[in-house]
Amino acid sequence: MDSPAVSRYATLWLLVAQVMVALPVLEVLPIVVLPLLVLTLMWRALIWFGRGSWPSDLLRRLLVALSLVLIITSSGWQFSLELAVTFLVTGYALKMLEMKTRRDALVIAYIGFFVVGAGVIYSQSLMQALYQLLCLGVLVAAIHAMYSPTQSASASLSIKGSLRFTGLILLQALPLTLALFIFVPRLGPLWAVPWPEGEAKTGLSDTMQPGDVARLSQSYELAFRAQFTGSVPPASERYWRTLVLDQYDGERWWQSDLIRLLNQFPGEIDDERDWQGRLPVIDGWWQVQPGQYNYEVLLEPNGRQWLPVLGMAALSVPETTVLRTLRLEADKPVFERRLYQPAQQSVVAQTITMPSWLLALNKSLPDNGNAQSRILAQQLFAESGRDPVTMGRRVMDYFNQEPFYYTLSPPLMEQNEVDQFLFVHRKGFCEHYASSFVFMMRSVGIPARIVTGYLGGEFLPEEKVIRVLQRDAHAWAEIWVEGQGWIRFDPTAAVAPERIDLGIDHMIEQGGLLQGQIPLAYRLGQTGFFKSVRQGWERLEYRWQKTVVQYQQEKQQSFMKELFGTSSFYWQQIGVLGALLALFLMLFGVFALFHRPALNPHQKLWLRLERKLVARGFERQVGEGPKDFALRVNAENDALGAQLLSIVDLYIRSVYSGRVKVDKPLLDQLSKMIKQL
């Protein structure tokens, strides 16, 4: 049996759905594919308006071939997540050019559900979830429109009916959705699509040149959120340690890795456990003590392995390792939001051990370059009595007393960058000051290194959450002092102390930082009513991420244990799901048993007529129409048949009048005639 043609009304819903469901994934599609998608949409819209013709079979094949060429040339032959999504969205768009029947329309609607699911891969924000719920509603409304009458009294009535149906379906699905979300076991993926190397990597880099952090500090992207239990550190203590840069070649800084270290110090490093591990205390790296703060971090996806922590990383947590540089690193890159709780312990600085190779690493400098800075360092070191801590303070005083400026737009410094900064330009951002500080310390034989991460963050007191943006990126320095461990020095505090205490935005607003204007949308979100609304939404977003998105296997197991005790986890879930299934089937059976379709006024009158005739000995046969029934009665009983024929004629005239609204006088007359029968 041929499928009926799809109506213009249903086609309109599908066109709207196609645009809506594709928007969340547009940013991952190759740019060369976008014009083709727009072309197919416009073409199908012209057909809907009656101004375009259907493409021929040959032309459709050419469009498919062109799509394949564009996708492969732009994405390459390596199968990846983006490639799979691109094929899905492109096929979704091209299918619209051959949609003529209801069967085709259903296929397109079902593909739309998969495209909505693809959008979840790239964003799980609350706003995205609400938008995707809206997309699902439009797709359900499109399916309803496919089965709606092709002609109706008005477009508003049709739209209202589709929206009402969609709302009922979503409400009916809500209890089952919640039950499945809570109780279905969280299992690992049975298969995976490779994530391309080098993609989705934002934020700090493991290399640094002057200007890198300044550029990052002009980004308003969210880096992570941290929620505290108990006391919250003041702004001046919110140093979020992320990377340690201890290698320098005269132009750039970068962090060490095990392979490079084995080549640099052959025979001095025994194995991987000298550089990274999960048991630093047992390995004798340092001792720990109870920490001051208890918090957890919700990290945004960035494609990197490093994990921000407040202060020095003392111990590893599940699926992480600790490096000798006192930082925390994940076992694999973070391509989705990750919730982790750093260890509550803190490092006892005096117990940190420093092997000879690590001391040598943190003293190393190129043999040549930045001669003026080396001379200045020797002079300051002599004035400090050759004491490392006093030397650090003396350099800080130098930055404070000389005319240095803090700016997000530092001048270009090509060769001898430290000399250029200290003696020529004297304008820079945090990385310029940290780099110059560490260079001078190393040039006099004091072990030193650069630490990059984030400083500060916006505090939301209701949730005890600190919200850290990429613009809060920061760089500072550490020096090694025997018997005291690593001591933090932040040269930015000497030049722009308000950056430490009040934050980067306050500096810009007060004119203390040389930069262009903050975007209007961001400025509005920091003032008055808009700030309250933004912070309220941010609280909802954090709860959504922590409660819903991060509801993974560990949290599910904890919830089930709280609910049912300590019995077998999977048997609990099987029992709950079985009970829910039985309840659902019982409710469905009760609904099917007692639910009767609503009868219209004509059907009610006809049933009353049939009951009267049954009482007189005449029962309508299966498949027998009203007219045939009346003729059969008339053949057996002339008097009754004459009345019945009049009633049936009036019934047919009333039912098939073509009017949308019921003819009340005609219906009353019919009711009166049946009553008098």
Side-chain angles (χ1 to χ4, degrees):
M1 181 178 177
D2 293 335
S3 178
V6 62
S7 65
R8 285 170 50 82
Y9 174 56
T11 302
L12 181 60
W13 275 108
L14 287 173
L15 286 172
V16 173
Q18 183 181 33
V19 175
M20 291 182 61
V21 302
L23 286 178
V25 296
L26 282 183
E27 62 180 358
V28 303
L29 302 180
I31 192 169
V32 295
V33 177
L34 299 182
L36 183 63
L37 301 182
V38 175
L39 172 65
T40 57
L41 179 65
M42 293 178 61
W43 196 335
R44 192 61 183 83
L46 287 173
I47 295 174
W48 189 85
F49 282 109
R51 297 179 178 273
S53 58
W54 291 98
S56 64
D57 183 63
L58 176 60
L59 185 55
R60 291 201 304 269
R61 292 175 185 272
L62 289 175
L63 286 174
V64 172
L66 177 62
S67 302
L68 290 173
V69 172
L70 291 176
I71 293 173
I72 292 174
T73 54
S74 60
S75 303
W77 289 97
Q78 182 181 4
F79 186 69
S80 65
L81 184 60
E82 281 75 13
L83 185 62
V85 173
T86 302
F87 273 120
L88 178 64
V89 176
T90 305
Y92 181 49
L94 291 176
K95 183 66 179 175
M96 291 290 290
L97 292 179
E98 63 174 13
M99 185 192 70
K100 296 182 180 180
T101 66
R102 183 188 294 169
R103 184 185 296 112
D104 296 330
L106 281 172
V107 171
I108 290 176
Y110 296 152
I111 296 175
F113 288 115
F114 283 95
V115 178
V116 171
V120 180
I121 299 174
Y122 297 99
S123 175
Q124 299 89 37
S125 68
L126 178 57
M127 181 67 75
Q128 178 81 339
L130 294 175
Y131 179 77
Q132 288 169 332
L133 183 62
L134 179 61
C135 291
L136 292 176
V138 173
L139 288 169
V140 172
I143 295 176
H144 175 267
M146 298 173 200
Y147 292 92
S148 298
T150 56
Q151 297 180 355
S152 60
S154 66
S156 62
L157 288 176
S158 299
I159 294 174
K160 191 180 296 184
S162 296
L163 293 178
R164 187 186 302 111
F165 175 81
T166 299
L168 289 174
I169 288 294
L170 294 180
L171 286 175
Q172 291 171 8
L174 183 60
L176 183 60
T177 302
L178 290 175
L180 294 176
F181 174 79
I182 294 172
F183 296 109
V184 169
R186 287 332 193 238
L187 301 176
L190 300 178
W191 55 276
V193 177
W195 197 291
E197 288 292 328
E199 292 202 7
K201 295 183 178 179
T202 60
L204 294 169
S205 171
D206 55 357
T207 64
M208 188 191 78
Q209 289 180 285
D212 288 350
V213 180
R215 284 188 289 272
L216 184 60
S217 292
Q218 300 184 55
S219 168
Y220 293 85
E221 293 183 14
L222 180 65
F224 62 90
R225 304 177 183 91
Q227 185 176 41
F228 285 79
T229 302
S231 60
V232 179
S236 59
E237 294 182 15
R238 297 173 194 164
Y239 281 86
W240 303 97
R241 187 187 193 90
T242 307
L243 291 166
V244 176
L245 311 180
D246 48 17
Q247 300 273 1
Y248 181 61
D249 63 1
E251 295 183 359
R252 65 187 180 97
W253 294 86
W254 70 94
Q255 69 171 349
S256 296
D257 60 76
L258 182 61
I259 296 177
R260 181 181 291 272
L261 290 174
L262 290 172
N263 292 329
Q264 280 183 275
F265 304 100
E268 297 186 52
I269 303 176
D270 294 333
D271 56 26
E272 183 179 346
R273 291 186 61 183
D274 281 339
W275 176 244
Q276 64 186 52
R278 304 183 191 274
L279 303 169
V281 176
I282 295 177
D283 291 337
W285 292 0
W286 51 72
Q287 297 299 314
V288 297
Q289 61 187 0
Q292 185 177 358
Y293 303 111
N294 181 20
Y295 64 100
E296 61 182 9
V297 176
L298 182 60
L299 180 65
E300 292 294 298
N302 55 31
R304 308 290 193 177
Q305 289 182 257
W306 37 86
L307 305 176
V309 295
L310 190 63
M312 298 178 178
L315 298 171
S316 64
V317 294
E319 299 181 359
T320 68
T321 57
V322 175
L323 277 76
R324 200 74 183 248
T325 51
L326 296 133
R327 69 178 187 84
L328 194 63
E329 188 170 281
D331 291 343
K332 57 185 179 180
V334 180
F335 285 119
E336 58 184 19
R337 285 184 182 87
R338 173 164 182 172
L339 182 67
Y340 60 96
Q341 185 173 15
Q344 297 182 29
Q345 293 83 358
S346 62
V347 175
V348 181
Q350 298 83 352
T351 64
I352 299 175
T353 59
M354 282 285 285
S356 58
W357 61 268
L358 194 53
L359 282 171
L361 172 65
N362 286 278
K363 292 180 181 179
S364 63
L365 281 177
D367 295 334
N368 302 309
N370 298 300
Q372 289 180 278
S373 301
R374 296 174 191 260
I375 294 172
L376 174 63
Q378 292 292 343
Q379 177 186 338
L380 296 177
F381 193 41
E383 294 175 1
S384 305
R386 309 187 72 80
D387 178 69
V389 176
T390 307
M391 171 64 177
R393 294 171 182 162
R394 186 67 186 87
V395 176
M396 296 281 282
D397 291 340
Y398 178 78
F399 285 136
N400 178 258
Q401 296 167 6
E402 295 293 324
F404 285 94
Y405 300 92
Y406 199 61
T407 175
L408 280 172
S409 304
L412 181 64
M413 307 172 201
E414 296 182 350
Q415 293 182 340
N416 294 315
E417 292 174 350
V418 179
D419 281 357
Q420 289 278 311
F421 171 68
L422 290 177
F423 301 102
V424 179
H425 300 291
R426 295 194 165 189
K427 293 180 181 179
F429 199 55
C430 58
E431 69 267 35
H432 295 83
Y433 293 97
S435 176
S436 302
F437 182 95
V438 172
F439 182 90
M440 285 195 287
M441 300 302 284
R442 286 191 177 190
S443 66
V444 296
I446 299 174
R449 61 195 184 187
I450 295 176
V451 182
T452 62
Y454 301 89
L455 174 63
E458 180 185 22
F459 180 53
L460 305 177
E462 292 83 358
E463 301 287 333
K464 286 192 174 181
V465 169
I466 295 177
R467 183 171 177 265
V468 180
L469 305 181
Q470 293 295 349
R471 67 185 285 97
D472 296 313
H474 192 58
W476 60 95
E478 289 179 344
I479 67 169
W480 170 261
V481 180
E482 191 67 37
Q484 299 183 46
W486 287 103
I487 300 176
R488 182 178 67 224
F489 281 87
D490 189 351
T492 297
V495 182
E498 60 271 28
R499 167 68 180 95
I500 310 300
D501 298 325
L502 301 175
I504 190 170
D505 290 335
H506 179 82
M507 285 192 64
I508 296 175
E509 291 171 1
Q510 300 301 318
L513 182 59
L514 304 178
Q515 188 210 10
Q517 291 294 320
I518 299 177
L520 177 61
Y522 184 81
R523 279 167 36 207
L524 286 175
Q526 300 296 323
T527 56
F529 169 75
F530 295 103
K531 182 175 182 179
S532 300
V533 172
R534 179 183 60 79
Q535 290 185 340
W537 179 260
E538 173 60 30
R539 289 193 293 271
L540 289 176
E541 175 70 27
Y542 182 77
R543 292 173 185 174
W544 165 263
Q545 293 294 335
K546 184 179 176 181
T547 306
V548 179
V549 178
Q550 295 298 317
Y551 185 73
Q552 304 298 339
Q553 187 176 27
E554 184 177 349
K555 280 196 171 185
Q556 189 182 48
Q557 290 178 352
S558 299
F559 173 74
M560 296 293 288
K561 287 179 180 179
E562 290 179 7
L563 196 61
F564 297 105
T566 59
S567 59
S568 175
F569 173 60
Y570 289 109
W571 280 113
Q572 293 170 3
Q573 289 176 300
I574 292 173
V576 170
L577 290 174
L580 288 173
L581 179 61
L583 178 62
F584 174 77
L585 292 176
M586 183 181 69
L587 292 175
F588 180 78
V590 171
F591 178 80
L593 182 63
F594 292 99
H595 177 72
R596 293 288 185 270
L599 300 176
N600 60 43
H602 294 99
Q603 291 172 327
K604 291 178 180 178
L605 289 175
W606 182 261
L607 288 176
R608 190 196 307 171
L609 175 63
E610 284 194 348
R611 283 196 294 269
K612 277 199 167 192
L613 293 172
V614 168
R616 300 288 294 272
F618 296 98
E619 185 175 359
R620 187 170 67 92
Q621 299 174 358
V622 177
E624 189 175 27
K627 193 72 173 179
D628 292 336
F629 182 35
L631 291 172
R632 180 165 62 83
V633 173
N634 185 58
E636 299 182 25
N637 188 326
D638 293 340
L640 183 61
Q643 286 182 283
L644 184 57
L645 284 170
S646 299
I647 293 173
V648 168
D649 288 339
L650 186 61
Y651 172 80
I652 293 174
R653 183 151 52 92
S654 178
V655 172
Y656 300 103
S657 63
R659 297 180 181 180
V660 176
K661 293 186 177 180
V662 175
D663 189 333
K664 189 73 167 54
L666 198 63
L667 195 66
D668 290 342
Q669 183 183 354
L670 181 61
S671 177
K672 185 178 180 182
M673 292 178 65
I674 294 175
K675 189 175 182 180
Q676 294 175 350
L677 181 65

